[in-house]
Amino acid sequence: EGGRGMKRTANVARKTKETDIRLRLNLDGTGQSRVRTTLPFLDHMLTLSAKHGLLDLDVSARGDTQIDAHHLVEDLGICLGQALAKALGTKAGITRFAAAFVPMDEALARVVVDLSGRPALVYDAAFKRSGHKGEFDFDLLEDFLGAVTTAAGMNLHVRVEYGRNNHHVAEAIFKAF
């Protein structure tokens, strides 16, 4: 798995007191995904990342979301980061840097990646508080991306240029990522 001339795939499993996650990633996929996390909004965001990144992603995850979504979101980030690192292997033959600006209706996000081996997240995105019961906690997106960044050993810069609708802002981020 990973490396030049080899399949760039990875399987990762993580089971803790709070979460149980199985994740399969194919970096050379076609954008197919099957994502079941018990958090419909996160399922939607991961599905968008797979589709627009042309990654095949299969995720099965559950956690103690009756308490809150933090453990599940962060552990999913760890698993995705580990899968990225494993699938990239020695990183031979890759383009190390990438950047994308992605609009989603009134929102615009910029994401810049450096697969440097040095984890760092710079995150400049603000979400509005709605107070709606059951709404996804958008603050968790920074925790998710921070976990991906650390586990993958990558530099990730996220900046939302503007946006009014939380869903659109998050969607622009995930599509750019």
Side-chain angles (χ1 to χ4, degrees):
E1 296 182 42
R4 189 177 200 133
M6 302 175 78
K7 289 185 80 168
R8 298 186 316 156
T9 62
N11 292 299
V12 173
R14 179 177 176 89
K15 187 171 176 76
T16 68
K17 290 179 184 178
E18 294 87 12
T19 63
D20 186 1
I21 300 169
R22 306 251 181 282
L23 187 147
R24 185 171 55 236
L25 174 68
N26 177 0
L27 293 179
D28 301 308
T30 60
Q32 300 299 308
S33 64
R34 191 172 75 172
V35 180
R36 301 163 318 282
T37 72
T38 71
L39 298 171
F41 186 78
L42 188 59
D43 292 357
H44 179 48
M45 294 299 107
L46 291 172
T47 298
L48 289 171
S49 285
K51 178 180 179 179
H52 293 278
L54 296 176
L55 312 169
D56 290 346
L57 182 63
D58 189 350
V59 177
S60 175
R62 59 185 170 83
D64 59 354
T65 55
Q66 74 280 5
I67 295 169
D68 71 19
H70 182 267
H71 292 131
L72 184 57
V73 171
E74 187 171 48
D75 284 7
L76 273 165
I78 291 168
C79 289
L80 182 58
Q82 290 173 340
L84 283 167
K86 187 175 180 183
L88 286 168
T90 65
K91 301 182 207 168
I94 68 164
T95 301
R96 184 175 136 180
F97 306 99
F101 278 90
V102 172
M104 177 59 204
D105 294 346
E106 84 297 338
L108 179 66
R110 174 181 56 182
V111 174
V112 183
V113 175
D114 176 8
L115 298 171
S116 64
R118 294 180 310 277
L121 173 65
V122 177
Y123 187 83
D124 183 9
F127 290 91
K128 296 176 183 166
R129 303 274 179 225
S130 75
H132 296 311
K133 185 176 179 180
E135 181 180 65
F136 183 81
D137 180 357
F138 289 95
D139 288 343
L140 293 176
L141 296 182
E142 183 174 6
D143 298 329
F144 173 81
L145 293 171
V148 171
T149 300
T150 300
M154 67 192 294
N155 254 236
L156 182 62
H157 293 251
V158 175
R159 181 175 191 151
V160 173
E161 302 295 329
Y162 42 81
R164 179 192 52 78
N165 180 287
N166 286 344
H167 184 126
H168 295 164
V169 169
E171 194 164 323
I173 292 169
F174 274 78
K175 286 178 177 179
F177 175 67

